[in-house]
Amino acid sequence: MASAPSVTQTAVFTSLSGSANTVVAVNDESGNNIMAWTVPQAFQIATISAPELKSGTYKILTNATVSGQEYVEGFNFYYPATSATSNSSTSVTLNEGKCTSNGGNSGGNFGPGGRF
């Protein structure tokens, strides 16, 4: 019988669109990059989850340019990315694991291993 994992982390579900093979990144309110991926297919919504997401305001960048990174082959993400910039972004504010801004999008404590 399967059981739910005991570990949780914050996830954000948001309206966000982009093309295949573009970079999506998340920066904290100080502008530090938390994560960045090359998205393999076009998208119109996103669920983003990471242990680093806590209470605070974050920018989700589409068509991002990432620097200071090593591309991890096979996983489509950059680690460690030291900065990410883009002319296209949306802001989300998390308060105790709940998304409190960005047009009614929701966030919450979902299971581990969130995915874009």
Side-chain angles (χ1 to χ4, degrees), residues 8-100:
T8 60
Q9 66 186 35
T10 300
V12 176
F13 180 76
T14 186
S15 296
L16 186 70
S17 61
S19 303
N21 301 312
T22 60
V23 176
V24 172
V26 177
N27 288 350
D28 66 16
E29 50 196 334
S30 298
N32 300 311
N33 182 255
I34 293 180
M35 61 187 92
W37 312 261
T38 297
V39 181
Q41 59 190 16
F43 57 95
Q44 294 178 336
I45 59 171
T47 301
I48 299 171
S49 181
E52 294 85 1
L53 291 175
K54 307 290 183 198
S55 292
T57 300
Y58 298 88
K59 281 200 174 183
I60 303 171
L61 311 167
T62 54
N63 298 317
T65 300
V66 182
S67 64
Q69 82 279 354
E70 175 182 340
Y71 185 69
V72 180
E73 197 66 47
F75 292 98
N76 294 342
F77 70 90
Y78 297 85
Y79 182 83
T82 55
S83 69
T85 59
S86 175
N87 290 329
S88 179
S89 69
T90 187
S91 292
V92 294
T93 300
L94 300 174
N95 185 6
E96 297 179 16
K98 303 279 188 275
C99 184
T100 58

